[in-house]
Amino acid sequence: MVKPTRVTNRIRSLRFGHGEMTQAELADRIGVTRQTVIAIEQGRYSPSLEIAFQIAQVFKVPLDEVFQYPALGSSRPMGAARE
Amino acid sequence: MTLEEMRAWARLVAAVGAYTGYVTVVLERTHGRPLAEVPYSAALVWSITAAIVGATVVETVIRTASPKVTSLKDVRDRQISRMGDYIGQSFVVIGATAAMFMAVAGLDQFWIANAIYLCFVLSAVLGNVTKVIAYRGTLPQW
């Protein structure tokens, strides 16, 4: 079934916090097109795990400071919650 | 715009343009005859050739005129390309199946050839429209 991505991110604020890095600069650093960075930033594209880690490394922060995913809620198996 | 998005636009325009030209030429040649008796084969071959050459020419012109178009192809481009091709291929299967049944039914070569060509065009249109929508909107998740 087709569904939109639920992954959100803080790339825009992180870029501005790193010397107002442009989308083109970020794209060059991680080896993708500027259009892909725009799509990720706007939540129109859920990046691969590899790209996600590369973005986090550019900003020198853990992955979950760049990308967030909503809690699974009641569908989460019991005992699966993080301690 | 990436090179791959531009290619999708070029192929879409070329496929629709070449097929429109082909249909126009065939219909102009009827002169009251049944469609199956109209000479179509040369126009069909020229139309397919024009679609291939036309897409290449349009792509080259846009690349030359728009230095902002990047030739880098990344993982998103590959995912969009794969999805567009996957969806477009459905019409290739429909065309092949239709042609097989038309041949079994003994229909004229005109109808078989045109059914196949129409499905090629619909495949190109559907596949490239899918790619353009994915580039402009959200790449769906399964």
Side-chain angles (χ1 to χ4, degrees):
Chain A
M1 181 177 171
V2 178
K3 54 186 177 183
T5 179
R6 297 175 69 195
V7 177
T8 57
N9 68 81
R10 294 181 51 241
I11 294 175
R12 186 177 169 80
S13 61
L14 286 166
R15 280 196 301 106
F16 280 94
H18 282 72
E20 301 202 355
M21 183 189 292
T22 64
Q23 292 168 329
E25 285 169 351
L26 177 59
D28 283 344
R29 297 274 294 270
I30 61 175
V32 301
T33 63
R34 190 173 70 87
Q35 286 74 18
T36 294
V37 168
I38 293 169
I40 295 170
E41 202 170 292
Q42 293 177 347
R44 293 190 290 110
Y45 174 61
S46 184
S48 67
L49 199 53
E50 193 167 341
I51 291 177
F53 271 111
Q54 286 174 345
I55 293 171
Q57 284 179 4
V58 167
F59 295 124
K60 297 182 174 61
V61 294
L63 190 61
D64 59 1
E65 279 192 33
V66 184
F67 295 98
Q68 297 79 42
Y69 192 79
L72 295 176
S74 59
S75 63
R76 191 170 194 157
M78 288 185 71
R82 196 190 295 179
E83 293 299 324
Chain B
M1 186 186 291
T2 65
L3 180 62
E4 293 305 309
E5 183 182 355
M6 193 200 64
R7 274 192 180 134
W9 277 108
R11 289 172 184 171
L12 179 62
V13 170
V16 172
Y19 188 71
T20 305
Y22 166 72
V23 170
T24 306
V25 167
V26 169
L27 290 178
E28 279 179 354
R29 288 178 178 175
T30 51
H31 303 300
R33 290 179 291 189
L35 267 177
E37 292 177 14
V38 174
Y40 69 95
S41 51
L44 191 148
V45 171
W46 274 111
S47 173
I48 293 171
T49 308
I52 295 167
V53 174
T56 309
V57 169
V58 170
E59 181 186 322
T60 307
V61 168
I62 296 175
R63 266 183 96 165
T64 310
S66 308
K68 283 185 176 179
V69 172
T70 173
S71 58
L72 178 67
K73 184 175 181 178
D74 63 22
V75 63
R76 177 169 169 261
D77 293 312
R78 286 191 287 274
Q79 287 175 341
I80 289 174
S81 177
R82 200 180 308 138
M83 183 182 68
D85 292 345
Y86 179 76
I87 291 173
Q89 276 173 6
S90 57
F91 271 102
V92 175
V93 175
I94 292 169
T97 309
M100 184 178 68
F101 282 112
M102 290 165 91
V104 169
L107 289 183
D108 193 276
Q109 285 180 357
F110 174 90
W111 297 113
I112 297 172
N114 278 282
I116 294 171
Y117 185 31
L118 175 63
C119 286
F120 279 171
V121 173
L122 291 176
S123 169
V125 169
L126 186 63
N128 287 302
V129 165
T130 301
K131 290 177 189 178
V132 168
I133 289 172
Y135 273 113
R136 295 284 149 179
T138 302
L139 184 63
Q141 310 290 306
W142 275 273

